[in-house]
Amino acid sequence: MTTVRLNPTDNVVSFDTDALVVGVHSGPDGLRAAPGAEGLDQALGGKLAATLNAMGVKGKAGETAKVPTFGALAAPLLLVVGLGDAPEGDYDAEPLRRAAGVATRALAGTARVALALPSASAEQAGALALGGLLGAYSFTAYRTGEQPAPVAELAVLSDAEGAEAAVERASTVAASVSLVRDLVNTPPSGLWPARFAEIAEQTAGEVGLSVEVLDETALKEGGYGGIVAVGQGSANPPRLVRLAYSHPEAAKTVAFVGKGITFDSGGLSIKPTSGMDWMKSDMGGAGAVFGALVAVARLGLKVNAIGYLCLAENMPSGTAQRPSDVFTSFAGKTVEVLDTDAEGRLVLIDGIARAGQDDPDLIVDVATLTGAQIVALGWRTAGVMANDDALREEVVAVAGEQGEAAWGMPLPEELRKGLDSPVADIANLHPERFGGMLTAGLFLKEFVPDGVKWAHIDTAGPAFNKGEPHGYTPKGGTGAITRTLIGIAERYSS
């Protein structure tokens, strides 16, 4: 795990590190050094700009160039990162996070890295620390042979008031996001429901969370029909994990519910091979809830926070649920299963109904729920739905503050009729394929307790990056929405 520390900016030229990172902007008159790079060109004999021009550096966002310093600086290597056009006012946090992440990804194998990027405020310093730490992430648990080591020590150069606390927060948040990424990247042979529950129990004890785990027997006895139905086809039985954090000065309670399908074959409504090979990521919502609760405890927020991890493995077998089966959910409503590959909503409704018994001020569920989310919003933007317009916009705003793309979506009432069932209270799938993200949200809404504010975040695309790394985002598990949930808990902190 990469460690991070804060250092003053008055010794950039003489700062002892293996690689120094500075920023440059593109512009009509050529490259322009960003704050933090002052004095470097002079130390390098006035040749830095000419060298970068000769290398074809344009200063585009995400562009990098490695320049040896030949003893002119204490750092033997200078990494120049493009920041795009210079802002008219203050630097926004997200471009700085991405620049820092690009830098630490480019410097994998370098032991010590110092970020001399714009850091005039505590928010900017925290953004650099978080982006740098997330960019340094790597998952090598199943690799043999020598691998490039991630950056070991990260220094953020800043004199901003409050920067130390911001960097400490960034370290805590990055640890939780990395935890979630590890879980998402772990193959289903290494992460099944009971194993996920064991990890949650162990970590909860380390950070001071209370934990309760319901096994398959307790789930049946407790009436958790959705979780039981989804998990009954697997040799690895389901679990429901309840994590709780309380603070004596808290005035608000937030409840988070996560979909935790540790592998989704589709069940008897089986997926094609091309849609199944990355379904180890179908527990990303439960991972985000778990990571957020761990961070809330470590940060000591003045809020009561409860997390439900709805864990099951969706497999075809002689004991699996069948299309046309009907079960009774924890809320008491009956559900007709038209498609066993629409299983995530079935485990979520039990978690949502159970969370309502905690009398929370709001419930937020997170799930890799629908392919329709990817069709509508692409791979990087989560969809947010809610039973309260103000809450929906609040969640979207918090996500934006944390650097996570999200977009508010409606829950059109005219689509609800398509969920009617001739034999049960509701069916788990709308007969039309259009608007699938919205009808899934409408299905969940039916199980939210009366009077409770609720939001649903569909992260089917953002939870797993099937493309190339970008910014501070690696290939594979991303830890998406973990930061948003932490931000919501902070907003509701006393």
Side-chain angles (χ1 to χ4, degrees):
M1 181 69 182
T2 305
T3 60
V4 63
R5 71 179 192 275
L6 186 70
N7 288 91
T9 62
D10 57 0
N11 58 347
V12 175
V13 173
S14 60
F15 191 80
D16 183 21
T17 186
D18 297 320
L20 183 68
V21 180
V22 297
V24 294
H25 292 289
S26 55
D29 300 323
L31 296 176
R32 170 183 158 191
E38 299 89 346
L40 293 182
D41 190 53
Q42 182 179 354
L44 292 168
K47 299 177 181 179
L48 179 58
T51 299
L52 294 176
N53 285 325
M55 295 173 67
V57 175
K58 303 297 183 183
K60 297 178 182 178
E63 185 180 19
T64 62
K66 294 180 179 179
V67 181
T69 67
F70 299 109
L73 308 179
L77 180 67
L78 185 69
L79 181 75
V80 178
V81 178
L83 298 175
D85 294 336
E88 295 182 1
D90 292 338
Y91 285 83
D92 290 336
E94 182 60 11
L96 295 179
R97 289 189 199 102
R98 293 179 183 177
V102 166
T104 52
R105 281 199 298 109
L107 292 168
T110 306
R112 300 176 302 159
V113 172
L115 301 177
L117 294 165
S119 59
S121 69
E123 181 186 18
Q124 292 167 0
L128 293 178
L130 182 56
L133 290 168
L134 294 181
Y137 172 85
S138 65
F139 183 73
T140 59
Y142 292 84
R143 290 189 178 274
T144 60
E146 189 173 344
Q147 303 293 325
V151 172
E153 297 179 14
L154 182 67
V156 176
L157 306 187
S158 177
D159 299 315
E161 183 178 354
E164 185 172 356
V167 169
E168 289 177 358
R169 176 192 180 276
S171 180
T172 298
V173 172
S176 275
V177 174
S178 296
L179 169 62
V180 179
R181 289 175 174 180
D182 283 349
L183 291 170
V184 172
N185 286 326
T186 300
S189 57
L191 189 72
W192 55 97
R195 177 60 185 144
F196 196 153
E198 289 172 359
I199 294 170
E201 283 187 287
Q202 179 181 349
T203 308
E206 294 170 356
V207 301
L209 293 169
S210 64
V211 60
E212 176 187 7
V213 178
L214 300 185
D215 64 12
E216 65 272 31
T217 301
L219 288 168
K220 289 178 182 178
E221 293 175 350
Y224 294 89
I227 299 175
V228 170
V230 173
Q232 70 188 40
S234 174
N236 296 308
R239 295 288 186 271
L240 178 64
V241 179
R242 181 183 186 274
L243 301 167
Y245 165 84
S246 61
H247 193 284
E249 299 178 39
K252 300 283 187 180
T253 298
V254 295
F256 301 142
V257 181
K259 171 188 172 183
I261 305 300
T262 56
F263 183 74
D264 182 17
S265 70
L268 290 178
S269 306
I270 198 163
K271 295 178 182 289
T273 301
S274 61
M276 200 188 299
D277 61 353
W278 55 294
M279 282 298 102
K280 66 180 182 179
S281 66
D282 213 22
M283 39 58 62
V289 169
F290 176 38
L293 263 290
V294 170
V296 167
R298 285 174 169 161
L299 292 169
L301 300 183
K302 296 179 180 179
V303 66
N304 296 325
I306 302 164
Y308 287 91
L309 315 182
C310 305
L311 308 176
E313 190 175 63
N314 188 25
M315 298 292 286
S317 75
T319 61
Q321 65 173 340
R322 296 146 293 216
S324 76
D325 274 355
V326 175
F327 69 83
T328 302
S329 68
F330 185 79
K333 294 183 179 181
T334 57
V335 179
E336 181 184 15
V337 179
L338 298 180
D339 188 333
T340 65
D341 195 25
E343 87 298 331
R345 65 199 69 184
L346 305 184
V347 301
L348 282 175
I349 60 176
D350 282 351
I352 291 170
R354 174 62 182 87
Q357 296 184 352
D358 295 313
D359 195 25
D361 291 278
L362 79 160
I363 297 173
V364 180
D365 79 70
V366 187
T368 50
L369 203 62
T370 67
Q373 176 273 316
I374 302 171
V375 173
L377 297 174
W379 289 97
R380 299 187 187 182
T381 303
V384 180
M385 290 139 274
N387 62 0
D388 179 90
D389 289 347
L391 176 60
R392 180 190 64 222
E393 297 311 309
E394 181 180 24
V395 172
V396 170
V398 172
E401 291 167 2
Q402 302 301 320
E404 299 195 293
W407 194 259
M409 300 297 290
L411 291 175
E413 286 299 324
E414 67 271 16
L415 295 178
R416 169 60 185 84
K417 184 172 177 56
L419 295 172
D420 286 346
S421 165
V423 298
D425 295 331
I426 193 170
N428 79 324
L429 195 70
H430 197 285
E432 295 184 0
R433 60 189 294 262
F434 304 106
M437 172 172 53
L438 311 184
T439 55
L442 285 166
F443 177 84
L444 296 177
K445 182 183 175 184
E446 292 290 315
F447 297 85
V448 178
D450 292 339
V452 178
K453 290 185 178 182
W454 158 83
H456 161 58
I457 307 177
D458 192 334
T459 63
F464 196 81
N465 177 24
K466 297 183 72 176
E468 293 303 309
H470 56 89
Y472 50 79
T473 302
K475 187 178 181 68
T478 65
I481 302 302
T482 306
R483 290 181 286 150
T484 296
L485 297 182
I486 296 168
I488 291 171
E490 288 177 321
R491 183 169 287 208
Y492 280 74
S493 181
S494 298

